[in-house]
Short mmCIF file of all heavy atoms in Angstrom, two decimals:
data_model
loop_
_atom_site.label_atom_id
_atom_site.label_comp_id
_atom_site.label_asym_id
_atom_site.label_seq_id
_atom_site.Cartn_x
_atom_site.Cartn_y
_atom_site.Cartn_z
N TRP Z 393 0.81 -1.22 0.00
CA TRP Z 393 0.00 0.00 0.00
C TRP Z 393 0.84 1.27 0.00
O TRP Z 393 0.43 2.28 -0.58
CB TRP Z 393 -0.95 -0.01 1.19
CG TRP Z 393 -1.86 -1.19 1.20
CD1 TRP Z 393 -1.92 -2.20 2.10
CD2 TRP Z 393 -2.86 -1.50 0.20
NE1 TRP Z 393 -2.87 -3.12 1.73
CE2 TRP Z 393 -3.47 -2.72 0.58
CE3 TRP Z 393 -3.28 -0.89 -0.97
CZ2 TRP Z 393 -4.48 -3.32 -0.16
CZ3 TRP Z 393 -4.28 -1.49 -1.73
CH2 TRP Z 393 -4.87 -2.68 -1.32
N ASN Z 394 1.98 1.27 0.65
CA ASN Z 394 2.82 2.47 0.65
C ASN Z 394 3.21 2.87 -0.77
O ASN Z 394 3.04 4.04 -1.17
CB ASN Z 394 4.08 2.23 1.48
CG ASN Z 394 3.84 2.39 2.96
OD1 ASN Z 394 2.70 2.29 3.42
ND2 ASN Z 394 4.89 2.62 3.72
N THR Z 395 3.73 1.92 -1.53
CA THR Z 395 4.14 2.22 -2.90
C THR Z 395 2.94 2.51 -3.78
O THR Z 395 3.00 3.38 -4.67
CB THR Z 395 4.94 1.04 -3.48
OG1 THR Z 395 5.96 0.67 -2.55
CG2 THR Z 395 5.60 1.42 -4.79
N ALA Z 396 1.84 1.80 -3.55
CA ALA Z 396 0.63 2.03 -4.34
C ALA Z 396 0.12 3.46 -4.15
O ALA Z 396 -0.28 4.12 -5.12
CB ALA Z 396 -0.44 1.01 -3.95
N VAL Z 397 0.14 3.94 -2.93
CA VAL Z 397 -0.31 5.31 -2.65
C VAL Z 397 0.58 6.32 -3.36
O VAL Z 397 0.11 7.29 -3.98
CB VAL Z 397 -0.34 5.56 -1.13
CG1 VAL Z 397 -0.41 7.06 -0.82
CG2 VAL Z 397 -1.51 4.85 -0.50
N GLN Z 398 1.88 6.12 -3.29
CA GLN Z 398 2.79 7.07 -3.93
C GLN Z 398 2.59 7.10 -5.45
O GLN Z 398 2.56 8.18 -6.06
CB GLN Z 398 4.23 6.69 -3.59
CG GLN Z 398 4.55 6.82 -2.11
CD GLN Z 398 5.95 6.33 -1.76
OE1 GLN Z 398 6.94 6.86 -2.26
NE2 GLN Z 398 6.05 5.30 -0.95
N GLU Z 399 2.46 5.92 -6.05
CA GLU Z 399 2.28 5.87 -7.50
C GLU Z 399 0.95 6.48 -7.92
O GLU Z 399 0.86 7.14 -8.95
CB GLU Z 399 2.39 4.43 -7.99
CG GLU Z 399 3.81 3.88 -8.00
CD GLU Z 399 4.72 4.65 -8.94
OE1 GLU Z 399 4.27 5.03 -10.05
OE2 GLU Z 399 5.88 4.89 -8.58
N ARG Z 400 -0.09 6.27 -7.12
CA ARG Z 400 -1.39 6.83 -7.49
C ARG Z 400 -1.39 8.35 -7.37
O ARG Z 400 -2.03 9.04 -8.17
CB ARG Z 400 -2.49 6.22 -6.63
CG ARG Z 400 -3.89 6.46 -7.18
CD ARG Z 400 -4.10 5.72 -8.49
NE ARG Z 400 -5.31 6.12 -9.17
CZ ARG Z 400 -6.22 5.25 -9.65
NH1 ARG Z 400 -6.02 3.94 -9.52
NH2 ARG Z 400 -7.30 5.68 -10.26
N MET Z 401 -0.68 8.88 -6.39
CA MET Z 401 -0.58 10.34 -6.28
C MET Z 401 0.18 10.89 -7.48
O MET Z 401 -0.18 11.94 -8.02
CB MET Z 401 0.13 10.72 -4.98
CG MET Z 401 0.22 12.23 -4.74
SD MET Z 401 -1.41 12.97 -4.52
CE MET Z 401 -0.98 14.72 -4.41
N ARG Z 402 1.22 10.22 -7.91
CA ARG Z 402 1.96 10.67 -9.09
C ARG Z 402 1.07 10.60 -10.34
O ARG Z 402 1.14 11.46 -11.20
CB ARG Z 402 3.21 9.81 -9.26
CG ARG Z 402 4.24 10.01 -8.15
CD ARG Z 402 5.47 9.17 -8.36
NE ARG Z 402 6.45 9.39 -7.29
CZ ARG Z 402 6.84 8.49 -6.40
NH1 ARG Z 402 6.37 7.25 -6.48
NH2 ARG Z 402 7.71 8.77 -5.46
N ALA Z 403 0.24 9.56 -10.42
CA ALA Z 403 -0.68 9.45 -11.56
C ALA Z 403 -1.65 10.61 -11.57
O ALA Z 403 -1.94 11.20 -12.63
CB ALA Z 403 -1.44 8.12 -11.48
N LEU Z 404 -2.15 10.97 -10.38
CA LEU Z 404 -3.12 12.07 -10.29
C LEU Z 404 -2.51 13.38 -10.78
O LEU Z 404 -3.11 14.10 -11.58
CB LEU Z 404 -3.57 12.18 -8.83
CG LEU Z 404 -4.64 13.20 -8.44
CD1 LEU Z 404 -5.33 12.73 -7.17
CD2 LEU Z 404 -4.04 14.59 -8.18
N VAL Z 405 -1.30 13.68 -10.30
CA VAL Z 405 -0.66 14.94 -10.68
C VAL Z 405 -0.27 14.92 -12.16
O VAL Z 405 -0.44 15.91 -12.87
CB VAL Z 405 0.57 15.20 -9.79
CG1 VAL Z 405 1.32 16.44 -10.25
CG2 VAL Z 405 0.13 15.37 -8.34
N ARG Z 406 0.25 13.79 -12.63
CA ARG Z 406 0.63 13.70 -14.04
C ARG Z 406 -0.58 13.87 -14.94
O ARG Z 406 -0.49 14.52 -16.00
CB ARG Z 406 1.31 12.36 -14.33
CG ARG Z 406 1.83 12.26 -15.75
CD ARG Z 406 3.03 13.20 -15.96
NE ARG Z 406 4.23 12.66 -15.39
CZ ARG Z 406 5.26 13.40 -15.02
NH1 ARG Z 406 5.24 14.71 -15.15
NH2 ARG Z 406 6.35 12.84 -14.49
N ALA Z 407 -1.74 13.33 -14.53
CA ALA Z 407 -2.95 13.49 -15.33
C ALA Z 407 -3.36 14.96 -15.43
O ALA Z 407 -3.79 15.42 -16.50
CB ALA Z 407 -4.08 12.67 -14.72
N LEU Z 408 -3.21 15.69 -14.35
CA LEU Z 408 -3.54 17.12 -14.38
C LEU Z 408 -2.57 17.88 -15.28
O LEU Z 408 -2.95 18.85 -15.96
CB LEU Z 408 -3.52 17.70 -12.97
CG LEU Z 408 -4.59 17.15 -12.01
CD1 LEU Z 408 -4.40 17.73 -10.61
CD2 LEU Z 408 -5.99 17.46 -12.52
N GLU Z 409 -1.32 17.45 -15.31
CA GLU Z 409 -0.36 18.07 -16.23
C GLU Z 409 -0.71 17.74 -17.68
O GLU Z 409 -0.62 18.61 -18.56
CB GLU Z 409 1.06 17.59 -15.91
CG GLU Z 409 1.59 18.09 -14.57
CD GLU Z 409 2.98 17.55 -14.25
OE1 GLU Z 409 3.45 16.64 -14.98
OE2 GLU Z 409 3.60 18.04 -13.30
N GLU Z 410 -1.12 16.51 -17.92
CA GLU Z 410 -1.48 16.11 -19.29
C GLU Z 410 -2.72 16.84 -19.77
O GLU Z 410 -2.88 17.06 -20.98
CB GLU Z 410 -1.70 14.60 -19.33
CG GLU Z 410 -0.43 13.80 -19.14
CD GLU Z 410 -0.66 12.31 -19.00
OE1 GLU Z 410 -1.84 11.90 -18.94
OE2 GLU Z 410 0.31 11.54 -18.98
N ARG Z 411 -3.58 17.25 -18.85
CA ARG Z 411 -4.77 18.02 -19.23
C ARG Z 411 -4.48 19.52 -19.24
O ARG Z 411 -5.39 20.32 -19.47
CB ARG Z 411 -5.90 17.73 -18.24
CG ARG Z 411 -6.43 16.30 -18.29
CD ARG Z 411 -7.45 16.06 -17.20
NE ARG Z 411 -8.61 16.95 -17.33
CZ ARG Z 411 -9.56 17.06 -16.40
NH1 ARG Z 411 -9.47 16.37 -15.27
NH2 ARG Z 411 -10.59 17.86 -16.60
N ALA Z 412 -3.26 19.91 -18.97
CA ALA Z 412 -2.84 21.32 -18.93
C ALA Z 412 -3.50 22.09 -17.80
O ALA Z 412 -3.56 23.32 -17.84
CB ALA Z 412 -3.12 22.00 -20.27
N LEU Z 413 -3.98 21.38 -16.77
CA LEU Z 413 -4.48 22.06 -15.58
C LEU Z 413 -3.35 22.40 -14.62
O LEU Z 413 -3.51 23.24 -13.74
CB LEU Z 413 -5.52 21.18 -14.88
CG LEU Z 413 -6.78 20.89 -15.72
CD1 LEU Z 413 -7.74 20.00 -14.94
CD2 LEU Z 413 -7.46 22.18 -16.14
N LEU Z 414 -2.24 21.74 -14.82
CA LEU Z 414 -1.00 22.09 -14.12
C LEU Z 414 0.10 22.21 -15.17
O LEU Z 414 0.15 21.41 -16.11
CB LEU Z 414 -0.61 21.01 -13.11
CG LEU Z 414 -1.44 20.85 -11.84
CD1 LEU Z 414 -0.90 19.71 -11.00
CD2 LEU Z 414 -1.48 22.14 -11.04
N ASP Z 415 0.95 23.20 -15.00
CA ASP Z 415 2.10 23.31 -15.88
C ASP Z 415 3.15 22.29 -15.47
O ASP Z 415 3.49 22.20 -14.28
CB ASP Z 415 2.71 24.71 -15.80
CG ASP Z 415 1.74 25.77 -16.31
OD1 ASP Z 415 0.96 25.44 -17.24
OD2 ASP Z 415 1.75 26.89 -15.78
N PRO Z 416 3.67 21.48 -16.38
CA PRO Z 416 4.73 20.53 -16.01
C PRO Z 416 5.92 21.28 -15.42
O PRO Z 416 6.43 22.23 -16.02
CB PRO Z 416 5.09 19.87 -17.35
CG PRO Z 416 3.86 20.05 -18.20
CD PRO Z 416 3.27 21.37 -17.79
N ARG Z 417 6.31 20.88 -14.23
CA ARG Z 417 7.40 21.59 -13.56
C ARG Z 417 8.22 20.59 -12.75
O ARG Z 417 7.72 20.01 -11.78
CB ARG Z 417 6.86 22.68 -12.64
CG ARG Z 417 7.93 23.40 -11.85
CD ARG Z 417 7.41 24.73 -11.33
NE ARG Z 417 6.25 24.60 -10.50
CZ ARG Z 417 6.28 24.30 -9.19
NH1 ARG Z 417 7.44 24.08 -8.59
NH2 ARG Z 417 5.18 24.23 -8.49
N PRO Z 418 9.47 20.36 -13.12
CA PRO Z 418 10.33 19.47 -12.34
C PRO Z 418 10.51 20.00 -10.92
O PRO Z 418 10.59 21.20 -10.70
CB PRO Z 418 11.65 19.46 -13.11
CG PRO Z 418 11.29 19.93 -14.48
CD PRO Z 418 10.15 20.89 -14.31
N GLY Z 419 10.58 19.09 -9.98
CA GLY Z 419 10.81 19.50 -8.61
C GLY Z 419 9.58 19.86 -7.83
O GLY Z 419 9.67 20.25 -6.66
N ARG Z 420 8.40 19.76 -8.42
CA ARG Z 420 7.17 20.10 -7.71
C ARG Z 420 6.91 19.08 -6.59
O ARG Z 420 7.08 17.89 -6.76
CB ARG Z 420 5.99 20.12 -8.68
CG ARG Z 420 4.64 20.33 -8.00
CD ARG Z 420 3.49 20.20 -8.98
NE ARG Z 420 3.29 21.42 -9.74
CZ ARG Z 420 3.31 21.48 -11.07
NH1 ARG Z 420 3.56 20.39 -11.79
NH2 ARG Z 420 3.08 22.63 -11.69
N THR Z 421 6.49 19.57 -5.42
CA THR Z 421 6.15 18.68 -4.31
C THR Z 421 4.65 18.38 -4.34
O THR Z 421 3.88 19.05 -5.04
CB THR Z 421 6.50 19.32 -2.96
OG1 THR Z 421 5.67 20.46 -2.74
CG2 THR Z 421 7.97 19.73 -2.92
N ALA Z 422 4.24 17.40 -3.54
CA ALA Z 422 2.83 17.04 -3.49
C ALA Z 422 1.99 18.19 -2.94
O ALA Z 422 0.88 18.46 -3.44
CB ALA Z 422 2.65 15.79 -2.62
N ASP Z 423 2.49 18.89 -1.93
CA ASP Z 423 1.75 20.03 -1.37
C ASP Z 423 1.59 21.15 -2.40
O ASP Z 423 0.52 21.77 -2.51
CB ASP Z 423 2.47 20.57 -0.14
CG ASP Z 423 2.37 19.62 1.05
OD1 ASP Z 423 1.37 18.89 1.12
OD2 ASP Z 423 3.28 19.61 1.87
N GLU Z 424 2.65 21.41 -3.15
CA GLU Z 424 2.56 22.44 -4.19
C GLU Z 424 1.58 22.04 -5.28
O GLU Z 424 0.79 22.87 -5.76
CB GLU Z 424 3.94 22.68 -4.79
CG GLU Z 424 4.93 23.33 -3.82
CD GLU Z 424 6.35 23.33 -4.35
OE1 GLU Z 424 6.63 22.59 -5.32
OE2 GLU Z 424 7.20 24.07 -3.80
N ALA Z 425 1.60 20.77 -5.66
CA ALA Z 425 0.66 20.30 -6.68
C ALA Z 425 -0.77 20.43 -6.21
O ALA Z 425 -1.66 20.85 -6.98
CB ALA Z 425 0.96 18.84 -7.03
N ALA Z 426 -1.03 20.11 -4.95
CA ALA Z 426 -2.40 20.22 -4.42
C ALA Z 426 -2.85 21.67 -4.40
O ALA Z 426 -3.99 21.98 -4.76
CB ALA Z 426 -2.44 19.61 -3.02
N ALA Z 427 -1.97 22.57 -3.96
CA ALA Z 427 -2.35 23.98 -3.91
C ALA Z 427 -2.61 24.55 -5.30
O ALA Z 427 -3.57 25.32 -5.51
CB ALA Z 427 -1.24 24.78 -3.21
N GLU Z 428 -1.79 24.17 -6.27
CA GLU Z 428 -1.98 24.68 -7.63
C GLU Z 428 -3.20 24.06 -8.29
O GLU Z 428 -3.93 24.74 -9.03
CB GLU Z 428 -0.73 24.38 -8.46
CG GLU Z 428 0.51 25.15 -7.97
CD GLU Z 428 1.79 24.64 -8.63
OE1 GLU Z 428 1.70 24.00 -9.68
OE2 GLU Z 428 2.88 24.89 -8.07
N ALA Z 429 -3.47 22.78 -8.04
CA ALA Z 429 -4.62 22.12 -8.65
C ALA Z 429 -5.93 22.61 -8.05
O ALA Z 429 -6.99 22.54 -8.70
CB ALA Z 429 -4.51 20.61 -8.49
N ALA Z 430 -5.88 23.09 -6.81
CA ALA Z 430 -7.10 23.57 -6.17
C ALA Z 430 -7.64 24.84 -6.81
O ALA Z 430 -8.82 25.17 -6.64
CB ALA Z 430 -6.83 23.82 -4.68
N ARG Z 431 -6.80 25.55 -7.57
CA ARG Z 431 -7.28 26.79 -8.22
C ARG Z 431 -8.28 26.49 -9.34
O ARG Z 431 -9.37 27.04 -9.34
CB ARG Z 431 -6.09 27.60 -8.75
CG ARG Z 431 -5.12 28.03 -7.64
CD ARG Z 431 -4.05 28.98 -8.17
NE ARG Z 431 -3.00 29.20 -7.19
CZ ARG Z 431 -1.75 28.82 -7.30
NH1 ARG Z 431 -1.37 28.21 -8.42
NH2 ARG Z 431 -0.87 29.06 -6.35
N PRO Z 432 -7.94 25.62 -10.29
CA PRO Z 432 -8.95 25.32 -11.30
C PRO Z 432 -9.98 24.29 -10.84
O PRO Z 432 -11.01 24.12 -11.49
CB PRO Z 432 -8.11 24.74 -12.46
CG PRO Z 432 -6.92 24.16 -11.80
CD PRO Z 432 -6.63 25.04 -10.63
#
């Protein structure tokens, strides 16, 4: 479950980048991704 949770969170953020709801940015943390995704 630990690895599954990490991979699913990465899938979620990558999907938002693929939809252009997040700008692809190396070095982004999970907290930053959540704050940026909460805007749209």
Side-chain angles (χ1 to χ4, degrees):
W393 301 115
N394 279 21
T395 310
V397 164
Q398 296 175 61
E399 286 298 320
R400 195 66 191 229
M401 183 65 185
R402 293 181 179 115
L404 183 155
V405 175
R406 185 69 78 204
L408 295 176
E409 292 178 350
E410 291 173 354
R411 293 175 61 189
L413 297 180
L414 289 178
D415 295 327
R417 177 161 58 83
R420 174 186 278 124
T421 67
D423 289 331
E424 292 169 345
E428 294 169 19
R431 299 187 190 114

